[in-house]
Amino acid sequence: MALNYTIPGLSEEVSEKVISILQSRLSQEQEASLVLKHAHWNVSGPNFIAVHEMIDPQVDIVLNQADESAERISQLGGSPDGRPDAIVRNRDWAELELTGTQSTEAYIKALVAYYDEFIQNDRNAIAELDELDIVSSNIIQDHVQDLEKFQWFLRAHLA
């Protein structure tokens, strides 16, 4: 990958590695917004309105996370790839398996499982980024805090 420039304190090699990690996070953040919107449109049954309305703010949060990740890639001299094929190309996580109208409970369980892997992937990224670029690590740490809070909301519905 050819960088447009580097930032003070990071070599080109380190910047490229950080960009690669952030691109993976960007792709999963973009996918998560689509997954959440899919669930928002297709939940049905008991607690429909509560779950339907709970999901929309999370879509906005995850889209903001994607924007932060993309902007950090640009700050590092890279070019964020937000195209749909980049999501598919970068996917190394499980897809949400539910399709069509399903019960609120089925979608909540599927989203909890999706978030398990999403959060773990972010935590893995943090561990790598801590050694490379603390600024990028801090960005993903903030993202995890939001994701864990939302997963808690989902789990509370199942309790």
Side-chain angles (χ1 to χ4, degrees):
M1 130 185 27
L3 298 180
N4 297 317
Y5 45 79
T6 59
I7 59 174
L10 292 182
S11 68
E12 188 169 331
E13 180 183 346
V14 168
S15 293
E16 288 174 348
K17 194 169 205 175
V18 171
I19 288 167
S20 176
I21 294 165
L22 291 174
Q23 180 61 57
S24 172
R25 299 301 72 233
L26 169 60
S27 292
Q28 191 164 20
E29 291 156 356
Q30 289 181 288
E31 182 188 76
S33 72
L34 298 170
V35 162
L36 288 161
K37 209 52 163 163
H38 171 80
H40 169 82
W41 293 323
N42 285 289
V43 295
S44 180
N47 299 312
F48 159 77
I49 198 65
V51 174
H52 179 80
E53 290 183 355
M54 177 181 63
I55 292 172
D56 253 352
Q58 186 61 24
V59 173
D60 294 338
I61 288 168
V62 173
L63 284 172
N64 285 333
Q65 291 176 352
D67 192 51
E68 287 178 335
S69 295
E71 288 176 354
R72 184 64 182 160
I73 290 169
S74 292
Q75 291 164 18
L76 292 165
S79 298
D81 192 347
R83 298 172 300 156
D85 61 312
I87 295 171
V88 174
R89 187 175 56 256
N90 290 310
R91 184 185 290 124
D92 61 1
W93 55 87
E95 296 179 45
L96 184 77
E97 295 296 326
L98 288 183
T99 61
T101 303
Q102 301 282 335
S103 71
T104 55
E105 183 177 352
Y107 268 107
I108 290 172
K109 286 180 179 178
L111 289 173
V112 166
Y114 185 85
Y115 268 73
D116 280 344
E117 190 170 10
F118 191 3
I119 291 166
Q120 186 59 58
N121 290 343
D122 272 1
R123 287 183 167 277
N124 293 343
I126 290 165
E128 288 184 80
L129 291 169
D130 277 349
E131 300 298 318
L132 300 168
D133 176 33
I134 198 70
V135 175
S136 296
S137 178
N138 287 340
I139 291 168
I140 303 302
Q141 289 173 36
D142 289 345
H143 294 181
V144 168
Q145 185 176 356
D146 287 334
L147 298 176
E148 288 177 347
K149 182 177 182 182
F150 185 63
Q151 189 180 45
W152 168 55
F153 291 168
L154 292 169
R155 287 177 172 157
H157 269 274
L158 295 175

